[in-house]
Amino acid sequence: MSEGKLDDLLDGLEKRQLDLIVGSIDARTYRPDLAQEILFDDDVAVIVGHDHPLAARRAAAWPDLLDYPWIMPPPNTLMRMQLDAKLLEQGGAGVRPAVETASIMTALIVLRSTRYVSVCSGTMASKLQELGAVVRLPMTFSFGPVGTVWRKEDTQPALTDFVQAMRDEVRNTATKG
């Protein structure tokens, strides 16, 4: 299992270092040699650690976030481009990251003991909040489709079984929520 920028993951898929990608689906995944399946649409959520001053506020808004240091996805990633656009729209044109990482684990470690702000997928944020790892703040914006990508020529049972298990989990989660 690897975390990384979509371009790097696609390169790993092409070089057969990876069998499958689960993540954002955008134009880069639509290639003649790849199969892709959209599993669900997601949003981007803002998260903080439990000791962050905004963690207890029910009515936090975008302007409240602008004075805190940020953990941001790396440049030229879909989530970073969307975050930059949202910050610009909300008056945060000068906000720059104190930390840049594609790793949710790195973000969690930093959030745990600082007053930093970060973003992740809304689905991930909800699960992390349920586990007590973060506080999801009441602001989101659209992220887009999340799905899986694999080489069309690969039909081994482990891959097809895994894709089916993801479909089943998405369907089961949708019926619960």
Side-chain angles (χ1 to χ4, degrees):
M1 188 173 291
S2 296
E3 289 183 295
K5 294 195 246 180
L6 182 57
D7 289 331
D8 296 338
L9 296 173
L10 287 168
D11 187 53
L13 194 60
E14 185 176 324
K15 292 178 180 174
R16 298 188 163 280
Q17 297 165 335
L18 300 173
D19 296 316
L20 174 89
I21 297 171
V22 178
S24 60
I25 302 289
D26 68 19
R28 295 170 289 177
T29 66
Y30 287 89
R31 300 189 337 210
D33 58 324
L34 299 178
Q36 57 289 119
E37 181 171 335
I38 294 172
L39 297 169
F40 61 93
D41 283 314
D42 208 351
D43 59 358
V44 177
V46 179
I47 56 175
V48 296
H50 286 280
D51 294 332
H52 194 285
L54 297 177
R57 288 185 50 190
R58 294 184 193 273
W62 283 98
D64 299 323
L65 305 174
L66 303 181
D67 291 330
Y68 291 99
W70 278 78
I71 304 166
M72 292 184 180
N76 302 317
T77 58
L78 182 59
M79 190 173 292
R80 175 64 177 274
M81 290 185 284
Q82 291 174 330
L83 174 60
D84 287 344
K86 187 65 173 181
L87 286 169
L88 182 62
E89 174 188 299
Q90 297 295 326
V95 174
R96 297 289 175 260
V99 176
E100 288 180 332
T101 183
S103 168
I104 190 63
M105 292 307 297
T106 300
L108 289 174
I109 290 166
V110 175
L111 289 175
R112 185 178 184 138
S113 60
T114 67
R115 301 176 108 190
Y116 283 44
V117 175
S118 192
V119 292
C120 67
S121 81
T123 302
M124 175 71 72
S126 293
K127 181 53 90 176
L128 291 171
Q129 181 166 281
E130 181 182 307
L131 295 171
V134 299
V135 174
R136 180 179 176 161
L137 297 180
M139 64 266 302
T140 61
F141 55 97
S142 177
F143 180 64
V146 174
T148 185
V149 181
W150 65 95
R151 290 179 298 278
K152 282 184 179 176
E153 65 192 42
D154 289 346
T155 58
Q156 64 265 36
L159 182 112
T160 56
D161 289 351
F162 186 76
V163 171
Q164 185 59 50
M166 287 189 298
R167 289 180 192 123
D168 294 344
E169 182 61 26
V170 168
R171 187 174 42 254
N172 291 338
T173 302
T175 59
K176 291 177 189 173

